Amino acid sequence: MTSHLLAPLDLAFWNIESALHPMHLGALGVFATHSPTAAAHAADLLAARAAAVPGLRMRIRDVWQPTGSPLALPLAFGGAAREPDPGFDPLNHVRLHAPTDDFQAVAGRLMQRPLERGLPPWEAHVLPGADGVSFAVLFKFHHALADGLRALKLAAGVLDPVDLPQRGPRPAAPPRRTVPDVRRLPGLLRGALSDVGRALDIGASVALSGLGVRSSAALASAPSGTRRTAGVVLDIDDVHRVRKTAGGTVNDVLIAVVAGALRRWLDERGDGSEGVAPRALIPVSKRRPRTAHPQGNRLSGYLIRLPVGEPDPLCRLGTVRAAMDRNKNAGPNRGAGAVALLADHVPALGHRLGGPFVGQAARLWFDILVTSVPLPGLGLRLGGHQLAEVYPFAPLASGQSLAVAISTYRGRVHYGLVADARAVPDLDRLARAVTDEVDALITVCEA
């Protein structure tokens, strides 16, 4: 049996979790079907296929041991190990539920339940549709097991096979050394000094990012442990129409839509949007598709202030575009959004002892998470049934009431909204505001 220690950022996600703030990603896929037995068949397929996916048989256990290398600071005093589970029972992870006429309502209740830490940290819930012409599957993956890209790869392992372009062999990993090569010490020293400078830069940027922030009480909440989800579908052609007229990237437009939707939502519920500019964390993947080590989160991020208080839709988009351009010019290794990179500089014991405090500090760093999860352009199927819609769900940080995840799939954009159910009982109103904001942008661009 082989095992390996968690990467530093994985270890951080494992240790900041609490009963009220589970740290799992989610994705709700809706499949079209005309068979009343399709959902049960899908559950059987998922269970059978999960047993053959190595990443789904991994469980995480706490260990206390040195790594043997004095330079391996993130794991110098032990941490958590990820190892295959020989007693893995996929039926414990794939569950068939009763028919429902509201996939999002069930998904919200399931998203609030933490994953069982003694088992492989993932679940798949199959939800038959009461209409008889659809079923849904909610996947949950702990963030210590997978980031968005790896979660997609794990989910693809249990869906129907697709024909993908052939790739060459993956390069072999270099041999691990327990004693550093003295010829590399000058380079290692320069790298260490560079890391220190980067850490100081990130720390200073975080301190500055909190100055003059005008957020909204609607984006903050006392933890209740409850969750509510909602989904919105947009036509990607509408997004391109705005982009071609106003400039920027597709992602700029999608983020600006979030800013405009928040403005509409705050004004409609009576909280007011004047002067509001919450800090949005935009995660950036540093994972290389053909890396020799696919395990482990490889994330940085950009931090921008959403121009919620700006009344003009095109000015909001221009502000988002300028902020994103500044972040891209600086790169994902600098700035307040790159705090996740500091996990590499914290010993494992620090993650274990400081995790609960770090989790509580997220509210001081950013006000809302807005993340994009890429999906393949190929049509995905389960049991021969076409995946028609897919809504990604992000974890909700402590002290925050809302998180937004976005995926583009087969010509449509899917927004997945996750909220604290007590703090945001009107999440459907925010979902409608997303659609209204796109319509407003199109109207302004065509004027």
Side-chain angles (χ1 to χ4, degrees):
M1 179 186 300
T2 60
S3 63
H4 63 271
L5 293 174
L6 291 181
L9 188 54
D10 298 351
L11 191 58
F13 286 135
W14 187 247
N15 283 287
I16 66 176
E17 181 174 63
S18 69
L20 298 181
H21 287 92
M23 288 300 299
H24 52 253
L25 312 172
L28 179 68
V30 180
F31 296 83
T33 179
H34 295 287
S35 170
T37 62
H41 179 55
D44 291 340
L45 283 176
L46 291 174
R49 292 170 178 174
V53 179
L56 298 181
R57 299 199 308 271
M58 305 293 284
R59 65 183 178 89
I60 297 173
R61 65 181 180 88
D62 292 324
V63 297
W64 293 89
Q65 62 182 22
T67 63
S69 172
L71 295 180
L73 293 180
L75 298 172
F77 298 103
R82 183 165 26 194
E83 62 179 18
D85 189 342
F88 170 67
D89 180 3
L91 295 178
N92 288 334
H93 295 78
V94 179
R95 300 165 191 176
L96 179 65
H97 292 255
T100 178
D101 58 1
D102 191 340
F103 294 139
Q104 293 288 353
V106 178
R109 293 193 293 270
L110 293 173
M111 283 295 292
Q112 72 190 30
R113 300 180 188 174
L115 294 167
E116 175 59 54
R117 291 174 75 91
L119 299 175
W122 70 277
E123 292 175 352
H125 298 269
V126 182
L127 315 176
D131 56 12
V133 297
S134 64
F135 68 90
V137 179
L138 175 68
F139 288 102
K140 294 167 57 177
F141 298 100
H142 199 286
H143 219 328
L145 175 69
D147 56 16
L149 287 176
R150 181 156 170 78
L152 174 62
K153 181 177 180 180
L154 292 172
V158 294
L159 298 178
D160 292 355
V162 295
D163 294 327
L164 297 175
Q166 295 296 318
R167 293 180 174 178
R170 180 176 291 162
R176 298 184 64 180
R177 296 177 177 270
T178 57
V179 178
D181 187 338
V182 294
R183 293 171 297 180
R184 298 178 58 211
L185 288 179
L188 291 173
L189 180 59
R190 286 193 300 270
L193 292 175
S194 175
D195 287 345
V196 170
R198 182 173 63 183
L200 292 174
D201 173 84
I202 293 172
S205 297
V206 170
L208 292 173
S209 71
L211 298 177
V213 171
R214 171 76 166 88
S215 187
S216 170
L219 299 178
S221 66
S224 72
T226 60
R227 293 292 180 271
R228 186 185 303 274
T229 68
V232 185
V233 182
L234 307 177
D235 192 322
I236 190 64
D237 289 340
D238 290 338
V239 177
H240 282 301
R241 287 161 66 187
V242 174
R243 178 189 61 81
K244 291 176 180 177
T245 301
T249 67
V250 166
N251 202 42
D252 294 341
V253 176
L254 298 178
I255 296 171
V257 166
V258 174
L262 288 174
R263 175 182 175 83
R264 294 170 181 274
W265 177 62
L266 291 175
D267 287 341
E268 288 178 7
R269 72 195 325 244
D271 291 324
S273 62
E274 183 177 357
V276 173
R279 297 160 298 176
L281 177 63
I282 316 293
V284 177
S285 176
K286 293 173 64 65
R287 182 184 297 278
R288 297 178 180 177
R290 299 182 66 180
T291 180
H293 298 286
Q295 293 86 2
N297 281 272
R298 300 289 298 165
L299 293 173
S300 180
Y302 298 145
L303 196 70
I304 70 171
R305 296 193 182 186
L306 294 179
V308 173
E310 170 56 56
D312 184 87
L314 291 183
C315 287
R316 286 196 294 270
L317 176 53
T319 300
V320 167
R321 177 184 179 184
M324 289 298 288
D325 285 346
R326 287 193 298 270
N327 276 287
K328 292 173 186 176
N329 289 336
N333 295 329
R334 298 282 180 179
V339 166
L341 299 180
L342 297 182
D344 291 340
H345 303 278
V346 178
L349 186 61
H351 284 297
R352 181 187 296 273
L353 299 179
F357 301 100
V358 173
Q360 296 296 323
R363 184 67 179 83
L364 302 176
W365 172 28
F366 64 98
D367 302 295
I368 184 173
L369 178 72
V370 182
T371 183
S372 295
V373 182
L375 291 177
L378 299 172
L380 301 175
R381 294 176 179 271
L382 177 58
H385 304 289
Q386 180 72 52
L387 176 63
E389 303 169 17
V390 56
Y391 302 98
F393 299 134
L396 195 60
S398 177
Q400 297 181 354
S401 61
L402 181 67
V404 180
I406 310 168
S407 284
T408 301
Y409 173 67
R410 304 200 74 190
R412 299 200 295 176
V413 178
H414 296 78
Y415 281 80
L417 311 178
V418 176
D420 184 287
R422 292 185 187 173
V424 187
D426 57 345
L427 188 61
D428 290 342
R429 180 184 293 178
L430 177 60
R432 291 193 299 270
V434 170
T435 302
D436 293 342
E437 179 63 16
V438 174
D439 292 341
L441 278 167
I442 293 173
T443 299
V444 171
C445 288
E446 292 180 342

